[in-house]
Amino acid sequence: MLTDLPNVLTISRIVAIPIVVALAAWGSPRTDALACLLFILAGITDYFDGKLARSRHQMSDFGRMFDSIADKLLVGACLMVLAGFARLPYQGLWPAIIILCREILVSGMREYLAERRARLPVTRLAKWKTGFQMTAIGFLLAGDGTGALLGMPWLPVAFIGAVLLWISAVLTLITGWDYLTTGLRHVEM
């Protein structure tokens, strides 16, 4: 089971986290570019692990549990390293807090609802939110130094990342509210 390709991809996402964090913490244009590249590769594994599991009929409890955990660990660790090294420009700490709080809220609700045999399905808007969020974090990890490294010093990489992070935060609030109202329907008051 652990050697099935979908599970290997999920595990690789978790293994990539300390490497991405270390590269981002180093803070040079080259290490920022490498952190961004590794983050992108980790994000791609998120797409393929589920697709491969379904197409190969290799869906497992391990994959169902750790896929979501790997995503949250990757996003949380990246947002924390960006915040810790003051790389969230344009008041970017606020959307980061919103994103992390929503992830904790939804995880807690899913755990509670699982005990009650109720589901909280992923919505299409939540998938868009994830796309904006992952793209934002990639830009923020890359930073303006990567633009200069690639011969595009005029490209406002960090600004683009901050704008995308704010868009992600708005989508996070909307989807978080949707999940909260859906989840509360299953709570006895």
Side-chain angles (χ1 to χ4, degrees), residues 42-88:
I44 290 170
T45 68
D46 182 31
Y47 172 76
F48 281 110
D49 61 4
K51 188 175 182 75
L52 287 171
R54 286 185 293 278
S55 70
R56 293 177 170 207
H57 305 289
Q58 293 179 328
M59 296 181 72
S60 66
D61 289 339
F62 178 88
R64 277 187 283 278
M65 179 172 72
F66 277 96
D67 180 54
S68 177
I69 290 170
D71 297 343
K72 288 167 183 24
L73 290 173
L74 180 64
V75 167
C78 288
L79 288 175
M80 286 192 282
V81 76
L82 289 166
F85 287 91
R87 293 180 51 190
L88 291 173

Side-chain angles (χ1 to χ4, degrees), residues 97-176:
I97 290 170
I98 290 167
I99 289 166
L100 289 174
C101 287
R102 181 246 189 219
E103 294 302 330
I104 293 167
L105 172 74
V106 171
S107 293
M109 285 192 319
R110 282 203 167 108
E111 183 179 333
Y112 171 80
L113 292 173
E115 293 172 5
R116 303 183 62 78
R117 305 224 187 270
R119 291 193 58 224
L120 197 59
V122 177
T123 65
R124 183 177 297 252
L125 188 59
K127 290 182 186 238
W128 276 96
K129 185 265 320 170
T130 300
F132 273 99
Q133 178 178 286
M134 299 302 263
T135 306
I137 293 170
F139 270 89
L140 290 166
L141 286 169
D144 291 333
T146 298
L149 184 69
L150 297 174
M152 297 180 283
W154 47 265
L155 186 65
V157 177
F159 175 76
I160 293 167
V163 169
L164 292 171
L165 194 66
W166 275 103
I167 292 169
S168 174
V170 170
L171 295 174
T172 295
L173 288 170
I174 294 166
T175 59

